[in-house]
Amino acid sequence: MALINLAAGEINYKIVYYGCALGGKTTSIQYVYKKVTSDAKGQLVSIATEEERTLYFDFLPLSLGKVRGLNTRFHLYTVPGQPQYNASRKLVIQGVDGIVFVVDSQVTRLDQNVEAYLNMWENLEEQGDSPAELGLVLQYNKRDLSDIYKIKDMNELFNQTDSPYFQSCALTGEGVFEALRSISKQVIAKTDS
Amino acid sequence: MGKNQTINTSQIDAATGILEKMRNSINPEFIGIISSGGLPVTVLSSSTKINPEVLASLAASSFAATSQLARVTNNATYAVMFHEGEDNNIHISQIGGDYLLVIIFANPSEIGKVRIISKRAREALAAALVQAENPILLKNRDAVVEETNIQGDERTRTGD
């Protein structure tokens, strides 16, 4: 649900990076923070454990230009990927406009990816959202590693919504901005749908 | 995706007017309305150290967690949160279902006054912020970002 503040001349969108633990959600948002110019970004906030595992969320506000004369503010969040933090995930996705689902491409992480995908679907439906109607982008991460699934196979599993998808390596940033740009365009286009 | 939440200038003016009256009574460091989703709506602040955007995100998340805590403890809701600190104190209260009122003030002995004044103001704020009957929406569904800071070229569907 975009918040349109006409007095401030702003549209605010909430984008959530969802996916299994250690899949690259926080790394993606950190890369964005590192690369965006300082006048376009706010403070990066992380609520994490001492081991730097996301406990509640990471948060990064961005200004990404104008739409029809209104400034766009994108509020990027990540969810904690570990299964036991589902209550936190439900809170973070409240009011979400678009999701970047980050898939860990490694063969050994298939079960965790499937669990995270089903969990996202269930949590969105529980709050009355449909993944098919929300903005959704798939970011197939860790493409630089060797023991990984083919894109075609992962699309069969995770792209039930025929959404745009991107290969990425969050550590080097490859594909991260492409996914962000795609989700941004989707949520803007859906503002008045 | 739920209905967009649109706030027009007259709503903001009305809400800000109420906040200004409150500020005159309790002299807070910060007083503001944020959306329950964590976005600042209108803010009056005398502090340059408080980032409204970060504050809104954390306050809304904290309040949402408290609401879930209410469910776990079989309570209908906790409509008010208060954190007492060494340098200042935070009072957060619910305005209807969509907004929160956040007040940061220095003197902890002022809490009684803050509670009374915020309780009185919440109804007026809720009325001021009630969803516009004819929300102004973007008309062009093919809207694109006209100027962007996003780097990199968009790569369309890539396969292997």
Side-chain angles (χ1 to χ4, degrees):
Chain A
M1 173 170 78
L3 175 67
I4 304 171
N5 187 335
L6 295 171
E10 274 184 1
I11 308 181
N12 295 274
Y13 299 101
K14 184 173 185 177
I15 307 291
V16 175
Y17 284 71
Y18 212 103
C20 69
L22 299 172
K25 303 178 293 297
T26 297
T27 309
S28 294
I29 216 172
Q30 285 172 338
Y31 183 81
V32 172
Y33 178 75
K34 199 166 70 178
K35 290 294 176 183
V36 168
T37 54
S38 56
D39 57 330
K41 68 186 175 190
Q43 189 180 337
L44 174 63
V45 175
S46 292
I47 303 178
T49 65
E50 285 182 7
E51 296 82 32
E52 296 189 357
R53 301 288 298 276
T54 304
L55 177 64
Y56 197 168
F57 58 79
D58 306 296
F59 167 68
L60 173 62
L62 294 176
S63 297
L64 296 180
K66 286 190 171 185
V67 173
R68 310 292 165 214
L70 296 172
N71 291 314
T72 56
R73 292 289 285 167
F74 287 82
H75 299 255
L76 311 187
Y77 285 82
T78 66
V79 295
Q82 296 180 81
Q84 67 268 32
Y85 295 139
N86 196 40
S88 302
R89 283 193 288 277
K90 287 182 185 180
L91 295 179
V92 175
I93 62 169
Q94 285 178 9
V96 65
D97 295 296
I99 288 188
V100 177
F101 187 77
V102 180
V103 181
D104 187 330
S105 299
Q106 294 179 96
V107 170
T108 53
R109 302 301 307 282
L110 178 67
D111 288 350
Q112 288 90 338
N113 286 320
V114 170
E115 194 180 335
Y117 187 73
L118 294 174
N119 175 260
M120 173 191 73
W121 204 279
E122 191 179 313
N123 285 343
L124 286 172
E125 286 189 333
E126 194 178 303
Q127 70 174 20
D129 278 322
S130 160
E133 290 172 17
L134 277 177
L136 182 62
V137 162
L138 292 148
Q139 184 180 320
Y140 296 129
N141 195 34
K142 304 193 184 180
R143 299 308 295 170
D144 54 321
L145 300 182
S146 53
D147 195 16
I148 55 176
Y149 278 108
K150 288 182 177 175
I151 294 294
K152 179 176 168 289
D153 295 338
M154 290 199 295
N155 258 336
E156 275 181 22
L157 266 178
F158 301 115
N159 203 353
Q160 305 297 316
T161 48
D162 196 25
S163 300
Y165 57 92
F166 300 89
Q167 300 189 58
S168 75
C169 171
L171 278 175
T172 61
E174 187 188 346
V176 171
F177 276 102
E178 287 81 350
L180 176 58
R181 175 181 283 218
S182 178
I183 194 66
S184 304
K185 282 184 174 179
Q186 278 190 51
V187 297
I188 288 168
K190 284 174 186 281
T191 302
D192 67 338
S193 60
Chain B
M1 186 160 51
K3 191 180 174 186
N4 294 321
Q5 198 174 349
T6 307
I7 308 167
N8 61 39
T9 305
S10 61
Q11 288 175 300
I12 292 286
D13 288 347
T16 307
I18 295 167
L19 294 187
E20 279 170 352
K21 282 183 188 166
M22 295 175 74
R23 182 170 65 175
N24 294 338
S25 301
I26 51 183
N27 195 29
E29 278 180 51
F30 176 103
I31 183 166
I33 296 165
I34 64 173
S35 74
S36 54
L39 303 167
V41 173
T42 180
V43 159
L44 302 174
S45 177
S46 60
S47 171
T48 53
K49 292 178 183 171
I50 299 172
N51 180 327
E53 219 159 25
V54 171
L55 179 78
S57 169
L58 293 173
S61 304
S62 181
F63 200 87
T66 306
S67 298
Q68 291 304 305
L69 199 60
R71 287 179 62 183
V72 171
T73 55
N74 296 317
N75 207 334
T77 182
Y78 294 121
V80 174
M81 272 175 62
F82 175 61
H83 296 298
E84 186 175 334
E86 286 186 10
D87 297 326
N88 57 35
N89 312 277
I90 305 180
H91 185 274
I92 306 172
S93 52
Q94 205 165 19
I95 308 169
D98 293 332
Y99 302 99
L100 299 171
L101 172 64
V102 182
I103 303 170
I104 300 179
F105 57 102
N107 188 350
S109 64
E110 296 267 304
I111 180 60
K113 205 171 170 184
V114 168
R115 286 185 66 175
I116 291 169
I117 287 172
S118 62
K119 192 169 186 177
R120 283 187 191 152
R122 286 206 296 272
E123 207 171 301
L125 287 168
L129 291 167
V130 76
Q131 184 75 279
E133 286 183 10
N134 298 303
I136 300 166
L137 301 175
L138 297 179
K139 296 299 179 192
N140 190 338
R141 293 183 60 170
D142 298 322
V144 293
V145 179
E146 290 161 353
E147 305 158 17
T148 180
N149 298 309
I150 301 178
Q151 298 174 353
D153 297 325
E154 183 173 4
R155 189 173 47 179
T156 50
R157 304 172 182 218
T158 52
D160 59 356

